[in-house]
Amino acid sequence: MDIGIVSMRYAKALIEYAKGTGAEDRVYHELRMLERSFRKHPDLREALDNPILKIKEKFALICTAAVGNGEVSREFSRFITLMLRNRREYYLQYICLTYLDLYRKLKHIGVGKLITSVPVSREVWERIRNSASTLLHAQMELQTEVDPSIEGGFIFDINDFRLDASIATQLKRVKQQFIDKNRRIV
């Protein structure tokens, strides 16, 4: 079965169930943390695909990845149990991503990522988030990342748009213009 179809069906069912019980915000936070765990620990996916692990062990692993030592919501617990019983753990990361996307659309939340060569202060982070929030007429989730290879300036991704004002990119453009100009002369 197609990954997109399966993940959309399960994510839609989960968001409707969570909305019905008023727990969509808590489930969102649990799935957001679980998705981060999938990204940071690729071996999590391998562990879930391991047929030797029992359902209880997989359940405990998923809950720990979602909330650490805390308690998971009833809705999350029931959903994960359903996934494991139906042997759909392979799709779990995709379902997380789909749920996060559906939730953000439902709650009008934009997603942004700011990449800089040095860490930004909390004040700058808040100003950028608030400005983007005002422009989009939506709440903003803003992640920051430090990447010294951009040499200065910033790269700002917001939803599906990228503003690249990094020194590294500007230098590449100047270099390319210089190469193109020299080709025309020769």
Side-chain angles (χ1 to χ4, degrees), residues 23 26-27 30 67 71-79:
R26 182 160 181 204
V27 171
E30 292 165 337
V67 295
E71 190 81 21
V72 295
S73 67
R74 180 175 166 264
E75 293 77 11
F76 182 84
S77 175
R78 292 185 72 195
F79 177 73

Side-chain angles (χ1 to χ4, degrees), residues 64-129:
T64 300
V67 295
N69 294 329
E71 190 81 21
V72 295
S73 67
R74 180 175 166 264
E75 293 77 11
F76 182 84
S77 175
R78 292 185 72 195
F79 177 73
I80 296 304
T81 302
L82 174 73
M83 295 290 300
L84 293 171
R85 279 191 190 143
N86 291 333
R87 300 188 188 278
R88 298 287 197 214
E89 55 268 26
Y90 171 79
Y91 301 103
L92 190 54
Q93 184 174 10
Y94 304 107
I95 293 168
C96 287
L97 291 168
T98 305
Y99 182 93
L100 297 177
D101 189 46
L102 291 172
Y103 178 89
R104 289 172 179 145
K105 286 178 184 171
L106 177 72
K107 300 288 186 169
H108 305 291
I109 298 173
V111 179
K113 184 175 185 179
L114 178 66
I115 304 169
T116 57
S117 60
V118 295
V120 295
S121 67
R122 182 73 180 175
E123 179 184 324
V124 169
W125 179 87
E126 285 182 14
R127 283 183 33 216
I128 292 170
R129 188 188 60 149

Side-chain angles (χ1 to χ4, degrees), residues 121-160:
S121 67
R122 182 73 180 175
E123 179 184 324
V124 169
W125 179 87
E126 285 182 14
R127 283 183 33 216
I128 292 170
R129 188 188 60 149
N130 291 340
S131 296
S133 184
T134 302
L135 288 170
L136 291 177
H137 304 292
Q139 285 181 306
M140 278 300 301
E141 288 181 359
L142 181 62
Q143 301 171 352
T144 57
E145 182 180 312
V146 176
D147 181 1
S149 71
I150 69 170
E151 299 179 20
F154 63 90
I155 300 172
F156 187 55
D157 293 323
I158 187 165
N159 293 338
D160 295 328

